Amino acid sequence: MSDMIDADIIEPSIDPQTRKIGVRHVKATNAAGTRTKIQVRDFAATYTDEPASLGGTNSAPSPLETVLIALVGCDGVIINGVAKAMSFDYAGVDFTCESQIDVRGPKGVPGIRPYFESGKLDITVYSDESEDRFRKLCKNVEFRCPVMNLFAAAKVDMDVTWIQKPASEYGGNVD
């Protein structure tokens, strides 16, 4: 694409001039506690809660943990899409992710951000592709991933480490 600033960014997979809106919808209920029941499309209900140390019942991931779930899940989807667009061959991906938040922020202390201050994300891609193609995949995933870009827009100090290992070392099993 002639108007792209970085030559490593691959062409969009859709017409960049035609706006296409994607709508996401969830319903939820909370019975005056920390546990929330959430319905997405026709899937079984999912829940969020808080750890007991923060006043919850520790019966489900916290809402902020689900943000990290969204980050690694979104990266998985975008890695797959970019890999297909590049004809990049890989056996799988493993993620580890953590974040830090000053819990005073959500408790209302002025001047303390009520969301993540920093985070660490390790992405291990099992592939026998060249180092150049691997770096191009990484750059394009970071450019395209909606959740990763939400973290960037919120100025969360993210330390993202991309690791490449041989495809034969992948041992994951996604049920």
Side-chain angles (χ1 to χ4, degrees), residues 59-82:
S59 64
S62 75
L64 286 174
E65 288 166 331
T66 66
V67 172
L68 300 180
I69 291 168
L71 174 61
V72 299
C74 192
D75 275 336
V77 168
I78 300 300
I79 288 168
N80 183 261
V82 169

Side-chain angles (χ1 to χ4, degrees), residues 4 18 24-25 30 33 55 71 84-85 89 103 110 115 126 128 131 142 145-146 148 154 166 169-170 173:
M4 294 302 283
T18 302
R24 306 296 184 261
H25 179 79
N30 177 292
L71 174 61
K84 285 181 179 178
D89 190 39
V103 296
Y115 57 92
Y126 296 86
D128 298 323
E131 174 72 16
E142 290 187 9
C145 180
M148 191 175 279
E169 291 184 20
Y170 182 65
N173 180 20

